[in-house]
Amino acid sequence: MVAPVPSVQRFSGYDALVSGTARRTILASVAALFVLGYFVLLLANTCRFAAGPDSSGYLNEARLLLSGRTAAVVEPLVAGKLDPSLIYLFTPYGFARGPEPGTMVPTYPVGTPLHLAAAAAVGGWSFAPFVVGPLAASASLFLLVTLARRLGAGRGWAIVAAVLLAAFPVFILEAVQPVSDVLATFWALLAIVCALRAEEHWRWAVLSGVAFAIGVAVRPTNILMVLPLLAAMRFRLPRLAVAGLAALPFAVALMAYHAKLYGSPFVTGYGGAGGILSFGGAPPCAGSQASFLASLLTPLVFPAGLLAVFSRRWNRWERALLLTWFGVFFLFYSFYSYCPDFASTRFLLPALPPLLAGFARGAGELTDVIAKRSRFAGRALAVLLVLLLVGREVQQIGRLHVLHADDWESIFPRTVETVERQVRPDAVVLSSVLSGAFYFHAQRITVRWDQLTPETSAILLADPRFAGPWYAVVSEVEGGADALRARVPGEWREVARIRDVVVWQRF
């Protein structure tokens, strides 16, 4: 009798030296050390401040919620006794007109701000909220290993799948900022992992329903997870009913929040889907998203990771799970109206786990087949694949500078600090992209110069309550001085510059 060939998924030649238990212990220890090191790496490069519209929007909403409010008064509008219809001139990025005159409400989904607010309540604002992203990213790696194992991947290949997610440049970029993308991925993963275990005990169905509901609160499009959850629970009505009942209280609370802020339980701060999707023809972002994924992950993972479902070893439920989970997100965001660069794949982060798990199982099956003919060839192929894929992602991390986000995003708090140090208390400050950062770091509501016209500028300039010196904060990417002068005529002189951001004073 010929001895069975050891699986290539072990990746090494120490099989004869240690027992199976020892191998599992070594792999688990290495994986734990890797995740710990990854967490520390992310934490060391985290943006611990409010920056652009997204991060400032989430942080401003978190602070508002922690204060026990869902709306904020627009002081310049109320104090100046201006026409309430002019509120848009004073509304920072991340806010919209509120239900009461002179108030504004957050536009971002409430799930991420609740996470940030909870962290701030425990550890304060200076550090704790900025741990949420790295923590969710690190926990997602453990969940992906669990998912890949339950879908039939070997232990070694399951760890490789987690390493590929950890090294995915956009995953890193979003993990080091206080935004929603990695949180949405974590809750999607947790919902599916729990759903796959629901056959063991009804408590897993409860956890799956709760994770699904929180994921929807974090990002409304996580409602697309309904389809893969149906496949994960194999359409077993008792499990689905338990999960649905567990999700119901969260759904009711979320709808009540939306009704209070936006006037309808079925409307989010983003408005309707028609505002962000384009259905006028071919999906505008399908080609771009596919190209970005193939470039960042190589074609070996996308689209090859999806081809694993054609293996006869996959059952129909596993195929349905992988295809619906990835497919529903990819299809939805194919119709997204804006996908200018590689960072657009952040919307697809919740759909990467099934792609990576499919690759892990498919790669393991392929190398196993080769190992049956040549043990050395199978292992050599496994090592080559890992080195190629991980090396490609490491190269992309350096090329895209995703671990330097804290450096180039620091221009936001630095600009706010510079302006606040130089201007008088009664100064009128104009800003656009930095309006959310001003509101968070300086509690200053600025005038939105990008919303002004020569006519509305004249209204404010003629009002004695806006007679203080006027300053404008404009970056070159916003159009610079020409764009400012077109909306606010007058003589503007440069008084400060922070990289590509210029502070102008009107004389």
Side-chain angles (χ1 to χ4, degrees):
M1 180 180 292
V2 178
V5 178
S7 173
V8 73
Q9 295 165 0
R10 293 168 183 168
F11 293 130
S12 71
Y14 66 95
D15 305 59
L17 301 178
V18 293
S19 67
T21 301
R23 283 194 297 272
R24 288 192 293 271
T25 301
I26 291 171
L27 278 174
S29 300
V30 170
L33 286 173
F34 171 80
V35 173
L36 178 61
Y38 185 70
F39 174 72
V40 172
L41 175 68
L42 293 180
L43 208 56
N45 293 278
T46 294
C47 301
R48 299 176 189 174
F49 44 75
D54 285 351
S55 64
S56 65
Y58 287 119
L59 286 166
N60 280 322
E61 185 173 356
R63 188 166 60 187
L64 191 66
L65 292 170
L66 198 56
S67 71
R69 296 175 294 154
T70 57
V73 175
V74 183
E75 294 291 350
L77 183 77
V78 175
K81 298 181 180 178
L82 297 173
D83 184 340
S85 66
L86 296 176
I87 191 171
Y88 68 95
L89 297 178
F90 304 93
T91 306
Y93 267 97
F95 286 89
R97 182 198 302 264
E100 300 296 328
T103 65
M104 60 182 184
V105 294
T107 59
Y108 283 93
V110 71
T112 298
L114 283 174
H115 284 76
L116 301 177
V122 173
W125 282 103
S126 63
F127 179 76
F130 310 104
V131 179
V132 172
L135 194 60
S138 302
S140 295
L141 304 185
F142 280 114
L143 289 173
L144 180 52
V145 171
T146 303
L147 172 71
R149 292 287 288 147
R150 292 196 72 87
L151 291 179
R155 189 173 288 105
W157 282 109
I159 292 174
V160 169
V163 170
L164 292 176
L165 178 61
F168 188 67
V170 181
F171 189 72
I172 295 173
L173 180 62
E174 302 308 312
V176 297
Q177 300 181 74
V179 292
S180 65
D181 308 277
V182 171
L183 269 176
T185 304
F186 166 78
W187 288 110
L189 261 169
L190 184 60
I192 293 295
V193 168
C194 291
L196 290 171
R197 299 196 64 176
E199 62 183 8
E200 301 171 12
H201 199 284
W202 61 267
R203 291 190 183 92
W204 290 108
V206 171
L207 290 174
S208 180
V210 170
F212 167 73
I214 295 175
V216 174
V218 167
R219 176 175 284 172
T221 52
N222 265 34
I223 199 167
L224 298 172
M225 290 297 300
V226 164
L227 290 179
L229 280 171
L230 290 174
M233 293 190 181
R234 304 192 175 196
F235 277 88
R236 301 289 172 81
L237 291 181
R239 302 175 196 169
L240 293 170
V242 170
L245 288 173
L248 185 60
F250 296 87
V252 171
L254 185 61
M255 289 191 292
Y257 181 80
H258 288 173
K260 182 176 181 179
L261 268 64
Y262 314 122
S264 168
F266 304 107
V267 173
T268 72
Y270 295 140
I276 59 173
L277 301 181
S278 176
F279 297 108
C285 282
S288 297
Q289 295 284 37
S291 176
F292 294 144
L293 285 179
S295 174
L296 294 171
L297 290 169
T298 81
L300 292 172
V301 177
F302 178 82
L306 298 174
L307 300 180
V309 297
F310 293 104
S311 168
R312 286 178 293 180
R313 299 182 185 181
W314 287 69
N315 63 48
R316 58 174 179 159
W317 296 112
E318 292 170 339
R319 292 191 184 98
L321 173 59
L322 185 139
L323 292 177
T324 58
W325 189 352
F326 178 82
V328 71
F329 278 93
F330 186 83
L331 179 63
F332 181 88
Y333 284 108
S334 290
F335 288 95
Y336 206 66
S337 57
Y338 189 64
C339 47
D341 55 37
F342 77 97
S344 304
T345 57
R346 66 192 180 93
F347 300 118
L348 297 178
L349 287 181
L352 288 192
L355 184 65
L356 295 170
F359 163 78
R361 177 165 170 177
E365 291 178 354
L366 173 64
T367 50
D368 271 347
V369 169
I370 295 174
K372 289 178 181 178
R373 300 191 177 191
S374 170
R375 181 175 178 180
F376 173 80
R379 292 188 172 180
L381 177 60
V383 171
L384 180 63
L385 284 174
V386 173
L387 291 177
L388 177 64
L389 294 172
V390 175
R392 171 64 175 172
E393 289 196 320
V394 170
Q395 179 191 38
Q396 297 280 21
I397 290 170
R399 184 178 70 84
L400 299 172
H401 307 291
V402 294
L403 283 173
H404 298 285
D406 57 331
D407 180 34
W408 36 270
E409 289 285 275
S410 67
I411 192 172
F412 287 88
R414 284 176 54 197
T415 300
V416 172
E417 181 183 2
T418 299
V419 172
E420 292 298 318
R421 189 171 59 244
Q422 293 187 5
V423 307
R424 289 166 25 187
D426 64 337
V428 178
V429 178
L430 282 62
S431 74
S432 175
V433 172
L434 283 98
S435 57
F438 268 103
Y439 189 54
F440 183 80
H441 291 293
Q443 290 76 58
R444 180 190 288 272
I445 294 182
T446 59
V447 178
R448 289 281 299 276
W449 69 261
D450 61 315
Q451 299 296 317
L452 286 168
T453 64
E455 293 73 26
T456 51
S457 297
I459 292 174
L460 297 185
L461 286 165
D463 192 315
R465 286 173 286 258
F466 295 89
W470 279 41
Y471 295 86
V473 184
V474 187
S475 72
E476 295 300 325
V477 297
E478 296 175 283
D482 292 340
L484 172 64
R485 292 189 179 102
R487 294 182 174 276
V488 190
E491 181 185 356
W492 291 94
R493 298 179 188 173
E494 180 179 329
V495 295
R497 179 181 289 268
I498 307 94
R499 292 203 296 235
D500 71 329
V501 176
V502 180
V503 182
W504 302 90
Q505 184 177 0
R506 189 177 186 276
F507 290 90

